[in-house]
Amino acid sequence: MDLHAELVRLKAAADLPPCMLGTVQKLIDQAQEAAAEAVQLSEQITRRDTELHAAQIKIQALTLELAHLRRMRFGVRSEAFCGAERDLFEETLASDLAAAQAELAKQQAETSATTEAQAPRAARIRAGRQPLPEHLPRIEHRHEPDSCTCAQCGRDLVKIGEDISEQLDVEPARFFVHRHIRPQYACRACETVCAAPIPPAVIDGGLAAVGLYVWVIIGKYLDHLPLYRLEQIAQRQDVALSRSTLAQWVGRLGVALQPLADRLAQLLRGHGVLHADETPVRQLDPGVGKTKRAYLWAYRTNGLHTGPPIVVFDYQTSRAGAHARAFLRGWQGHLMVDDYGGYKALFAAGIVELGCFAHARRKFFELNAAQANAIAQQALMRIGELYAIEAQGRDLCIEARAQLRQEQALPRLTALHDGLIATRLSVAEGSGTAKALDYSLKRWPALSRYATAGDLPIDNNPVENDIRPVAIGKKNWLFTGSARAGKRAAAIQSLLYTAKLNGLDPAAWLRETLEKLPTCPNSQIDSLLPLRDDALHQ
């Protein structure tokens, strides 16, 4: 019963005695105040619930971000439940452990020297040593005993075998000089002089031989050593190689190798499935005395196709999607990328998008790493099953892999998608769980497209692995001096990293290429490319 309404009705009744009207009015006022307080309390509760929900979402987001930053700073980078990747500081730990063992052995030896009686030392169990590479040259050192007669009876010793042990050694960069002597011969009758001709070189009249050029290029672009460090290495052997001279060599060698890099990019665009990614680099901005952000774009062939792999780097001064469109102008096929919006115009123009399942998995991994999350763990388990299928079909032909995906991957993809949709309906907006779910659901057609064929990749890891050494090298050289220097670095690194992908020794390939390049006609330039097979037959 509504007490306030009943009191109003009683007050309105004309037959109430005057003494009762004051009491009724007082009760009515109290009921009105109580109703107002109830409304106010209800509004406060609603407001507090809203603020609490917002605070919980913010706490979850901050917890996720904090856990991510802590893992970036201190943790293992692996995204698996049980990380197989070694800890970042394991090499320091191994060094400290070896030093401690050496100090302990020294201390034990000093103690045993002053102790008359001691217990027999247990034999140390050593781990099996990996055999040294067979291709390395061997320098034999024969150690004969001081005497070939028996120390006890004086008779001659008979050889019954050999004890062979091997030690690995290294010789630092060794500078030496090639002296070319060309005798001159004259004909007294014709009054002419002749001598052996000077063969053409990649840098005519240069001070350096090909081996020194290779040392500089490999050091700068593969080992990421700035030129001043190469200058210091040479100085330790009293060889004067100024940075200006080294820089001139690098510039001229970059021009000589540019046609090979251009041809490599042309061959890459002949493939129907590509990976793409980009990483920021710093570029010197002399006008303001600071550095500005530029980008190194990377494009790679699909590893599921047969034939030599190719990776091409493209240096640009921004992350604008126009650079990707310019590099891939006229190309059509499947492109594996992350969710960066700069690629969207390519897909609107007819290129088919492939989504990276590693990025989708990373969202759930970070969510679960911040705080144990049953939804994230379930998603990680299902995605792990998809990767297990890929591992099973890695060595299969394209047709067999397509059948495997059709029979095993597609049903699991359907179950994963249905589970994500059902879970999303019960998850609060704005939470970390919702963001992880939305990333996969919004990109689901691109993520699941790989399972429709046998030659499409499941993730973008191949090109990310290729671009990672460049990202590490940035800590050494800090920035590029100009856009021209960045483009030169991209061209040379495309050649060296492609050589590595094809199982070639980049230094040996570069030496052979620099020796042949001056006399190689343009029609035979493909023979110099760092590919294990002829890419034109793809």
Side-chain angles (χ1 to χ4, degrees):
M1 181 181 65
D2 189 347
L3 180 59
H4 179 265
E6 185 65 20
L7 290 173
V8 173
R9 187 185 65 79
L10 290 174
K11 181 180 178 182
D15 55 350
L16 282 176
C19 62
M20 296 291 295
L21 293 177
T23 302
V24 172
Q25 182 62 42
K26 185 177 180 180
L27 293 174
I28 291 174
D29 294 341
Q30 291 177 352
Q32 289 177 343
E33 291 177 0
E37 290 179 359
V39 172
Q40 186 178 3
L41 289 174
S42 178
E43 293 177 351
Q44 290 179 356
I45 292 174
T46 303
R47 184 170 62 254
R48 294 285 178 84
D49 288 342
T50 303
E51 293 175 353
L52 179 61
H53 179 68
Q56 289 175 342
I57 292 178
K58 185 174 182 180
I59 290 173
Q60 185 181 18
L62 291 175
T63 303
L64 179 63
E65 182 179 1
L66 180 60
H68 175 69
L69 293 176
R70 283 177 175 173
R71 190 171 66 257
M72 292 287 291
R73 177 63 180 86
F74 301 109
V76 178
R77 298 293 180 91
S78 173
E79 295 177 12
F81 279 124
C82 299
E85 183 178 352
R86 293 186 176 182
D87 188 88
L88 179 63
F89 304 107
E90 186 172 346
E91 61 181 37
T92 303
L93 177 62
S95 300
D96 293 343
L97 182 60
Q101 291 175 342
E103 293 177 4
L104 179 61
K106 180 179 179 181
Q107 187 67 30
Q108 290 175 340
E110 293 175 353
T111 303
S112 63
T114 58
T115 304
E116 295 181 356
Q118 63 176 6
R121 182 182 302 177
R124 181 182 176 186
I125 301 177
R126 296 180 178 270
R129 177 182 296 177
Q130 295 294 328
L132 298 178
E134 293 293 336
H135 69 275
L136 297 180
R138 261 65 175 176
I139 301 176
E140 293 189 355
H141 304 273
R142 305 195 70 86
H143 305 277
E144 298 289 349
D146 295 335
S147 174
C148 293
T149 58
C150 179
Q152 297 181 2
C153 65
R155 295 184 179 180
D156 293 338
L157 299 176
V158 179
K159 181 179 178 181
I160 60 174
E162 293 180 332
D163 179 25
I164 301 177
S165 62
E166 293 187 335
Q167 293 178 315
L168 185 64
D169 201 355
V170 63
E171 187 177 88
R174 182 174 60 95
F175 294 89
F176 54 94
V177 178
H178 291 284
R179 174 174 289 182
H180 300 279
I181 302 174
R182 294 180 173 82
Q184 296 181 345
Y185 297 92
C187 176
R188 297 184 182 276
C190 301
E191 297 183 352
T192 57
V193 178
C194 65
I198 300 176
V202 66
I203 299 180
D204 290 332
L207 168 69
V210 169
L212 184 54
Y213 293 146
V214 171
W215 180 71
V216 173
I217 294 298
I218 294 296
K220 180 174 176 59
Y221 293 111
L222 198 60
D223 298 331
H224 306 289
L225 295 176
L227 292 181
Y228 79 88
R229 295 190 185 180
L230 299 179
E231 179 185 24
Q232 293 173 350
I233 293 174
Q235 187 61 43
R236 289 200 293 267
Q237 297 193 34
D238 295 328
V239 176
L241 292 177
S242 66
R243 267 170 280 180
S244 60
T245 300
L246 296 176
Q248 291 177 8
W249 292 348
V250 168
R252 299 185 67 175
L253 291 173
V255 172
L257 293 172
Q258 185 63 51
L260 293 176
D262 294 340
R263 178 57 177 158
L264 205 61
Q266 183 181 0
L267 292 177
L268 177 134
R269 287 188 288 265
H271 288 253
V273 182
L274 296 179
H275 298 260
D277 196 13
E278 70 286 335
T279 185
V281 295
R282 305 303 302 179
Q283 177 182 315
L284 189 63
D285 192 358
V288 296
K290 299 180 180 180
T291 59
K292 59 183 179 181
R293 173 168 287 196
Y295 279 85
L296 187 66
W297 298 70
Y299 304 89
R300 192 193 192 279
T301 55
N302 176 25
L304 297 181
H305 279 287
T306 58
I310 300 174
V311 59
V312 173
F313 297 101
D314 182 35
Y315 183 90
Q316 298 294 341
T317 55
S318 73
R319 201 187 182 193
H323 300 309
R325 294 194 296 272
F327 183 88
L328 297 174
R329 181 178 290 112
W331 179 80
Q332 291 292 320
H334 291 78
L335 184 64
M336 166 62 75
V337 295
D338 55 20
D339 199 27
Y340 172 51
Y343 299 108
K344 302 303 181 184
L346 290 170
F347 306 136
I351 293 178
V352 182
E353 179 184 11
L354 295 176
C356 176
F357 246 113
H359 281 77
R361 179 181 58 184
R362 190 170 302 147
K363 302 295 182 182
F364 294 108
F365 175 81
E366 293 175 350
L367 180 65
N368 187 71
Q371 186 176 2
N373 187 299
I375 296 176
Q377 292 173 2
Q378 180 70 13
L380 288 173
M381 183 190 69
R382 291 180 180 273
I383 296 175
E385 293 176 353
L386 296 176
Y387 273 90
I389 296 173
E390 291 305 298
Q392 181 180 351
R394 182 178 296 115
D395 298 329
L396 300 179
C397 65
I398 294 177
E399 293 76 12
R401 190 183 302 114
Q403 183 177 0
L404 177 67
R405 289 175 172 178
Q406 182 75 23
E407 296 175 353
Q408 299 189 26
L410 284 178
R412 287 175 171 81
L413 283 168
T414 301
L416 174 60
H417 187 231
D418 294 342
L420 295 179
I421 293 177
T423 304
R424 182 63 182 87
L425 297 176
S426 61
V427 174
E429 293 288 345
S431 64
T433 304
K435 293 179 180 178
L437 293 169
D438 289 342
Y439 181 90
S440 295
L441 289 175
K442 291 179 180 178
R443 303 201 68 210
W444 189 257
L447 285 172
S448 59
R449 187 168 285 127
Y450 84 94
T452 61
D455 59 344
L456 302 180
I458 189 174
D459 57 35
N460 211 25
N461 285 349
V463 72
E464 290 186 358
N465 292 336
D466 293 336
I467 211 171
R468 186 172 291 115
V470 178
I472 296 175
K474 291 186 295 185
K475 297 180 180 180
N476 286 349
W477 41 263
L478 300 180
F479 56 84
T480 59
S482 63
R484 179 184 291 272
K487 291 183 179 297
R488 178 172 57 248
I492 296 178
Q493 286 172 334
S494 299
L495 297 168
L496 298 181
Y497 279 71
T498 297
K500 288 181 60 178
L501 287 177
N502 284 268
L504 305 178
D505 178 8
W509 168 83
L510 185 59
R511 172 185 286 274
E512 183 180 358
T513 298
L514 293 181
E515 290 174 347
K516 295 180 178 180
L517 190 58
T519 58
C520 181
N522 293 334
S523 59
Q524 299 180 11
I525 195 172
D526 287 350
S527 63
L528 301 181
L529 294 176
L531 306 176
R532 62 174 181 263
D533 296 314
D534 185 1
L536 296 179
H537 296 323
Q538 299 295 311

